[in-house]
């Protein structure tokens, strides 16, 4: 009987890449992650979807993806349901600092609430492609606050990729939800890939501001508790995190593999380069 991954490898995969650049994205270690995936599972879950590098690489036929970032989830819903309209709206954007600041600061205005979901998704992609280093960061009010990147020719409109991603998302349930909510939907034999905001190695590497609530040490311990519950349910999980004493101690009862990864999104250039992180699994 063919496994899930064998079935996926047999069918012709669509050529796609993540729609947005995301801090901690997994494209550069995707081969290592694939080597550590279970060969067989029922439904695929990814509750910290971010840029979705692993999801778009695997292209599961039956999946559940979620995140607490409302703008990000709106983007995936629009790509799934309104890709053509999104592409049309993306063509209106301009690569200039004056225009960038106007679009970036739109969420400071009450009129932003009246924007359509398509317009908000278009803004999200535009800012991601033209802001400094592709970093997504918000302030305590949930307002995007990354400066202009000043790139000469950013690819704001990637029509083919959006259409292919839309096709992959057709069989995917998309929710704006906390990671704990997967416990309401998951069943024995399913598989979860966790890629949470990492426990910081130091203050300069703390990039948890994907939502105004952030992701603190308490949330790391809650995530461990969810992993324990999944293990008891007979659900397989794979988790990525930073190679720190706290994380290694927290998951000491599970299988821990150290991998090298490059980190290019960091406000401090000294925090970029090759570092080790961990892959943790219960199988």
């Amino acid at each position: 009987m063919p496994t899930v991954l064998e079935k996926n490898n047999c069918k012709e995969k669509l050529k796609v890449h993540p729609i947005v650049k995301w801090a901690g994205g997994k494209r550069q270690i995707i081969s290592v992650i694939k080597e550590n995936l279970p060969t067989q599972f029922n439904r695929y879950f990814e509750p910290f979807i971010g840029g979705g590098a692993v999801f778009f690489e695997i292209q599961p036929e039956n999946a559940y993806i979620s995140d607490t970032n409302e703008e990000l989830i709106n983007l995936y819903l629009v790509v799934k349901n309104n890709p053509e309209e999104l592409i049309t709206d993306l063509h209106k954007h301009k690569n200039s600092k004056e225009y960038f600041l106007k679009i970036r600061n739109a969420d400071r205005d009450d009129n932003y609430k009246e924007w359509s979901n398509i317009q908000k998704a278009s803004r999200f992609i535009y800012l991601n492609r033209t802001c400094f280093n592709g970093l997504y960061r918000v302030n305590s009010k949930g307002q995007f606050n990354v400066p202009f990147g000043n790139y000469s020719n950013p690819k704001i409109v990637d029509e083919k990729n959006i259409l292919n991603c839309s096709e992959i998302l057709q069989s995917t349930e998309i929710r704006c939800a906390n990671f704990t909510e997967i416990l309401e939907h998951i069943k024995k034999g399913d598989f979860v890939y966790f890629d949470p905001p990492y426990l910081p190695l130091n203050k300069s590497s703390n990039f948890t501001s994907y939502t105004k609530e952030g992701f603190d040490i308490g949330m790391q311990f809650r995530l461990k508790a969810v992993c324990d519950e999944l293990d008891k349910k007979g659900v397989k999980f794979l988790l990525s995190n930073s190679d720190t004493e706290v994380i290694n101690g927290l998951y000491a009862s599970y299988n821990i593999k150290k991998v090298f990864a490059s980190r290019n999104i960091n406000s401090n250039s000294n925090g970029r380069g090759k570092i080790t992180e961990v892959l943790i699994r219960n199988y």
Side-chain angles (χ1 to χ4, degrees), residues 151-259:
Y151 302 118
S152 58
N153 190 30
K155 192 168 187 178
I156 298 169
V157 188
D158 193 343
E159 296 186 21
K160 185 64 175 175
N161 190 60
I162 288 173
L163 292 173
N164 283 347
C165 287
S166 179
E167 187 172 337
I168 293 168
L169 288 166
Q170 293 308 305
S171 59
T172 302
E173 183 177 356
I174 306 170
R175 290 181 175 271
C176 184
N178 184 282
F179 66 92
T180 61
E181 292 188 31
I182 63 169
L183 295 171
E184 300 172 13
H185 307 277
I186 208 157
K187 297 177 181 178
K188 181 179 180 180
D190 290 339
F191 167 67
V192 188
Y193 173 58
F194 290 111
D195 186 23
Y198 283 12
L199 184 69
L201 297 173
N202 50 58
K203 289 183 179 179
S204 69
S205 63
N206 187 356
F207 276 88
T208 61
S209 301
Y210 307 134
T211 64
K212 61 184 178 181
E213 291 82 12
F215 198 88
D216 60 17
I217 186 65
M219 297 294 276
Q220 295 285 353
F221 278 87
R222 182 69 186 105
L223 177 57
K224 166 56 165 55
V226 168
C227 287
D228 291 340
E229 290 185 55
L230 293 174
D231 190 52
K232 292 175 184 176
K233 280 177 173 279
V235 174
K236 295 175 181 177
F237 72 81
L238 178 67
L239 181 145
S240 297
N241 215 316
S242 54
D243 185 14
T244 63
E245 185 177 349
V246 171
I247 294 299
N248 280 280
L250 200 57
Y251 292 93
S253 61
Y254 294 111
N255 188 327
I256 301 177
K257 180 183 180 70
K258 297 183 189 296
V259 298

Side-chain angles (χ1 to χ4, degrees), residues 5 26 29-38 41 44-48 54 58 182 190-196 223 227 230 235-241 251 254-257 259 278-283:
L5 294 184
K26 294 298 177 289
I29 60 166
I30 199 73
S31 60
V32 179
I33 290 175
K34 286 178 71 176
E35 289 171 3
N36 286 273
L37 292 174
F41 53 86
Y44 177 87
F45 285 76
E46 189 169 344
F48 298 95
V54 175
I58 298 172
I182 63 169
D190 290 339
F191 167 67
V192 188
Y193 173 58
F194 290 111
D195 186 23
L223 177 57
C227 287
L230 293 174
V235 174
K236 295 175 181 177
F237 72 81
L238 178 67
L239 181 145
S240 297
N241 215 316
Y251 292 93
Y254 294 111
N255 188 327
I256 301 177
K257 180 183 180 70
V259 298
V278 292
L279 288 177
I280 301 162
R281 54 189 171 93
N282 66 334
Y283 50 89

Side-chain angles (χ1 to χ4, degrees), residues 6-44:
E6 285 171 343
K7 279 194 245 180
N8 281 358
N9 289 334
C10 286
K11 68 179 183 180
E12 186 176 350
K13 291 201 321 187
L14 291 169
K15 188 176 181 180
V16 297
H17 54 264
I19 303 163
V20 289
K21 188 176 181 180
W22 208 252
K26 294 298 177 289
R27 290 180 72 184
Q28 33 113 11
I29 60 166
I30 199 73
S31 60
V32 179
I33 290 175
K34 286 178 71 176
E35 289 171 3
N36 286 273
L37 292 174
T39 56
Q40 194 164 3
F41 53 86
N42 296 326
R43 197 179 190 197
Y44 177 87

